[in-house]
Every structure is written in C-alpha cells, then in structure tokens.
Amino acid sequence: MKPAVDSPPPLTVRTVPVPDPGDLPARLPHPDALAWIHHGEGIVAWGQAARTTIPGGPDRFTRARAWLDDLFTTAHIDDPLGLPGTGPVAFGSFTFDPAAPGSVLIVPRHILGRRDGHAWLTTIGEPTGDPLTLAHPPTPPTGLRWSDGTLTAPAWQHAVATAVQRIRHGRLGKTVLARDLTVQAAQPIDPRVLLDRLTTRYPACFTFAVDGLIGATPELLIRRTGDHIDSLVLAGTLPRGATPADDHARAQRLLNSPKDRREHAYAADMVRDALTPLCADLHVPHQPEILTLPNVIHLASPVHGTLDKERSVLDVLAALHPTPAVCGTPTGPALDLIRELEAMDRGRYAGPVGWIDATGDGEWGIALRCAELDPADPTRARLFAGCGIVADSDPAAELAEAQAKFRPMREALQG
Ligand SMILES: C=C(O[C@H]1C=CC=C(C(=O)O)[C@@H]1O)C(=O)O
C-alpha cells in the first residue's frame, strides 16, 4: 500500500545560478520555513509543490523512497548546475518511534542554496514573481512562559534511576531517556528568528526547520554525496566549563571516563555494524575525539565510507535509525523501556531530519536540541533533551546534562 498522498501532476523544475544570497535565513519570505544550514551553507526553502505524510511501520523509509521516486523520475528538470541540493529536493522529518505516525516529506516550491562558491534558486512549478524580494523581517517571541512537560525534573530523575536498575539487572546495555519542556509565547513563534539565532550561535551544528520542527543538531546521521558517505556519531557528554582550563579538564575527564566511553562505544559499534554491509570500505575511528560546542562537550566519532552500489541516502538512513545515541542497545528492549519510562510521545524529536535530492544525495541529522511548534497553536512549543543511560549513570548528573542540552533552544527563544 502506498502512503496517503495527493497525486500531483509531473513537476516542472528549474534551477538557475544566482548571486550570493548572503545570510540564508534572512531570505525566507514567511514563517513557514524549511532549512538545512551548516557553517552558513546549505538550503532554505518555502512553499509546497508536493507533500506526503507517512504512517508508522517498518517499511516507512521504503514508502518514502517510493513516493519520491515517482515524483522525481517523472519530473521535467532543468538543472545546469548538477550539484548536491540543486534540482528538486524534498525535506523530511521522521518520527523517532518507528511505529508512530507523523513522518513528513515536503517538496518545496522555492529552494535557495549556497555551497562551495555556488548559489542557486530552484523553482518548482510556475514562477511566482521574484521570490527573493519578498522578505519581511520576523518578530522575536515575547512574553515567554515556561513549564515542565510530561515529567517534572524529580520525576525524570526517578525514571533515570529506574532505568539504571533495569540495566544493572537485565540484558539491556544502554537506553536513552528524554524529557520535554513547554513554552507559551504571547504571539505565534516565527521559526526564522530561531533559525537566525541558531545559525549564528551554533554554526558547527546542522540547523534545521521542517514543518514546525526547528533545531540545531550536532549529530550527522548520514550524508551521501555520490557513493561517498559521512556520519558523525555522538554519545558521552559533559556541560561546558567556566574557563578554558576547566573545559580542557572536562574533555580529559570525558575521554578517560569508562562510563562515557561505554556509552559512546554502543553507538559507534552499532553504526559500524549497520554500515559495513552497505559499504565497499568504511572507516570508524578506534578512539573517539572531542567535539566542543557552546553548551556541551561530546565524545565524537567521525565515520567515512564508500557505498558498494547505488543506494539512496534514505536506504542508508533506514539501516541506521534508531542508533544507540537516541535509543539504546539492544534496540528493541531499549525502545520498550523508553516507551514505558518517558511516558511521552517523542514525536519527531530524535528522529531523522534532513533533505534528499533527485540523485539520492542528501544530508540527514538526528533531530536533537530542537523544539516542535504546536501545529494547532503556534504560540506554543515543546522542547526536548535526552541522555544516554548506562549501568553507572547518576540521575543528578543526567539532569544537569539535559539542562545543558535544552540551552540552544531555550536561548533561541529567549533572545
Ligand atoms: C539524546 C540527545 O543527545 C544524544 C546525542 C549526543 C550525546 C548524547 C549523550 O551523551 O547522552 C545523547 O546520546 C539529546 O541531545 O537530546
């Protein structure tokens, strides 16, 4: 069965080179923004030429791919640049829980991109005047009121303590527990303000916006460029220190912490196991390195490989999600424990988020450090943060880590 879709007529797609557009979020003409930006480069987009929602189920990535193949293979494409992200593109965001509905793919009407000295504008369907002149300055959110989400901080610490007990006495090595916060603003929250603040403050992260899910994730799940793939596995975290010397000491502590190294190894090993059958060669470092962000320090393993045959970025993504960075090890029992102890619907938090073009190239992150606007009331949003839990995790330290992971989005909202 195919996903529930409108069946659009064949797409007409035209990509043209444009002068350097400068700051990408500043070019978005209205709040209904799509974005993927890293170190100031990437794509922003608006309008909808086609859209599908994908039900939960083990075949959801295959369904997504089938829908895109139909759309892109029948499209009339004029793309003199032929770069990753030129021609037609779909933005996507999948729910964390494979059984949950709510995953979405959107093919925008207008895509503005900048990469490696090239800039382009892609228009899908009939041109609608000059979309680059439509920008209106967005208004920052005001009157913010914060509340606990599903669990209070003490209740969440209790859930962490329960997870630790289950891990010590069961066959589970690791799980990942998240909590949510809610925020209420006086007016609808404009994603462009959040994108602007996140790209400025977290340039090394992948800043994204897809259908009201906005964030800046440091974790690259998979990038495909031709037959080359990259991934950045993260797990093991400390909040930033107060001084450079303190940061240095914390980085050493992280590298030498058996608890954090174990937490990281679960994630890196799973990514290696999932990618090995898809690759002609694969490099996963033996030791993690340190990634320092403005709010936290992570253990990080950059992974690179060459695919053994033609595979879309979605095929690779299907083999990876959910990794132990957001779920645990083994996957099934870890997922069951998350469903039981978090007592909330993660929605698209911790799911894959990114873009794919007609050649199968694309970049997908794990949707972390993010907020989801309430589709029924855009003055409201839910923020999420989670932590890997292993046998020797300390609930108070995990709470402090989660607070540090909320910071990018809290501050993007607060100014
Ligand atoms: C689940 C989150 O982070 C994951 C990614 C990096 C480090 C993590 C950790 O050290 O716990 C988490 O596995 C989150 O930010 O909500």
Side-chain angles (χ1 to χ4, degrees):
M1 197 180 76
K2 291 203 168 179
V5 283
D6 307 328
S7 290
L11 302 177
T12 308
V13 183
R14 186 153 180 261
T15 297
V16 292
V18 293
D20 190 322
D23 183 33
L24 288 172
R27 310 310 303 228
L28 285 160
H30 53 71
D32 205 358
L34 295 155
W36 178 271
I37 301 168
H38 182 227
H39 287 301
E41 303 214 323
I43 47 179
V44 292
W46 58 100
Q48 285 187 17
R51 173 193 176 101
T52 185
T53 51
I54 302 157
D59 59 347
R60 59 198 184 134
F61 297 114
T62 316
R63 285 174 175 226
R65 180 160 183 197
W67 183 77
L68 282 172
D69 282 351
D70 280 357
L71 213 55
F72 287 166
T73 51
T74 56
H76 306 294
I77 303 174
D78 177 8
D79 174 14
L81 273 77
L83 297 169
T86 63
V89 161
F91 283 77
S93 167
F94 287 84
T95 53
F96 163 76
D97 191 324
S103 302
V104 63
L105 287 173
I106 298 169
V107 179
R109 288 265 289 129
H110 306 285
I111 305 152
L112 180 64
R114 180 164 68 168
R115 178 194 186 109
D116 299 336
H118 299 275
W120 66 93
L121 178 68
T122 299
T123 306
I124 303 182
E126 290 308 308
T128 52
D130 179 5
L132 290 178
T133 61
L134 295 180
H136 294 296
T139 323
T142 54
L144 299 179
R145 281 185 287 125
W146 296 91
S147 345
D148 285 328
T150 313
L151 297 181
T152 60
W156 188 75
Q157 281 184 264
H158 184 72
V160 171
T162 308
V164 166
Q165 288 309 317
R166 299 279 184 91
I167 290 167
R168 285 185 186 163
H169 299 114
R171 54 189 189 89
L172 199 59
K174 172 179 174 179
T175 191
V176 179
L177 289 185
R179 63 184 293 249
D180 59 341
L181 296 179
T182 60
V183 63
Q184 170 82 61
Q187 283 92 32
I189 297 166
D190 191 325
R192 294 172 297 170
V193 176
L194 310 181
L195 291 174
D196 178 47
R197 291 174 176 167
L198 291 169
T199 51
T200 306
R201 297 170 189 172
Y202 293 84
C205 291
F206 301 86
T207 297
F208 58 87
V210 178
D211 208 33
L213 184 73
I214 301 127
T217 181
E219 186 144 9
L220 180 68
L221 184 57
I222 191 74
R223 174 193 293 128
R224 192 203 95 160
T225 315
D227 62 1
H228 185 81
I229 56 166
D230 304 289
S231 180
L232 182 64
V233 181
L234 302 179
T237 306
L238 278 176
R240 280 289 297 269
T243 61
D246 189 8
D247 273 343
H248 181 73
R250 283 168 186 247
Q252 292 311 310
R253 226 163 80 207
L254 206 50
L255 283 168
N256 296 323
S257 149
K259 175 246 171 204
D260 288 291
R261 290 294 288 264
R262 197 161 44 247
E263 205 180 314
H264 188 83
Y266 281 124
D269 290 351
M270 182 272 184
V271 168
R272 181 194 294 105
D273 292 349
L275 292 181
T276 297
L278 312 183
C279 288
D281 65 73
L282 184 70
H283 177 73
V284 183
H286 294 299
Q287 308 275 344
E289 55 188 55
I290 290 290
L291 175 70
T292 304
L293 298 172
N295 57 329
V296 290
I297 304 170
H298 286 305
L299 291 179
S301 289
V303 172
H304 309 289
T306 311
L307 293 171
D308 61 351
K309 63 175 192 187
E310 172 66 29
R311 298 178 193 273
S312 142
V313 70
L314 281 181
D315 301 334
V316 188
L317 199 152
L320 285 171
H321 180 75
T323 75
V326 283
C327 184
T329 308
T331 305
L335 187 56
D336 287 343
L337 197 61
I338 289 169
R339 288 171 177 150
E340 178 192 333
L341 295 180
E342 282 183 0
M344 69 169 183
D345 178 6
R346 286 190 179 189
R348 292 178 289 145
Y349 157 73
V353 63
W355 62 271
I356 174 170
D357 70 14
T359 70
D361 279 345
E363 294 174 283
W364 292 75
I366 303 182
L368 306 173
R369 323 293 148 82
C370 61
E372 184 159 28
L373 297 187
D374 183 340
D377 177 3
T379 64
R380 293 172 56 80
R382 271 173 92 201
L383 279 66
F384 303 88
C387 300
I389 311 298
V390 290
D392 40 359
S393 291
D394 166 39
E398 299 303 334
L399 184 68
E401 182 179 318
Q403 304 294 49
K405 288 171 171 170
F406 277 125
R407 257 187 61 201
M409 279 315 300
R410 275 191 93 118
E411 294 172 358
L413 283 149
Q414 277 162 348

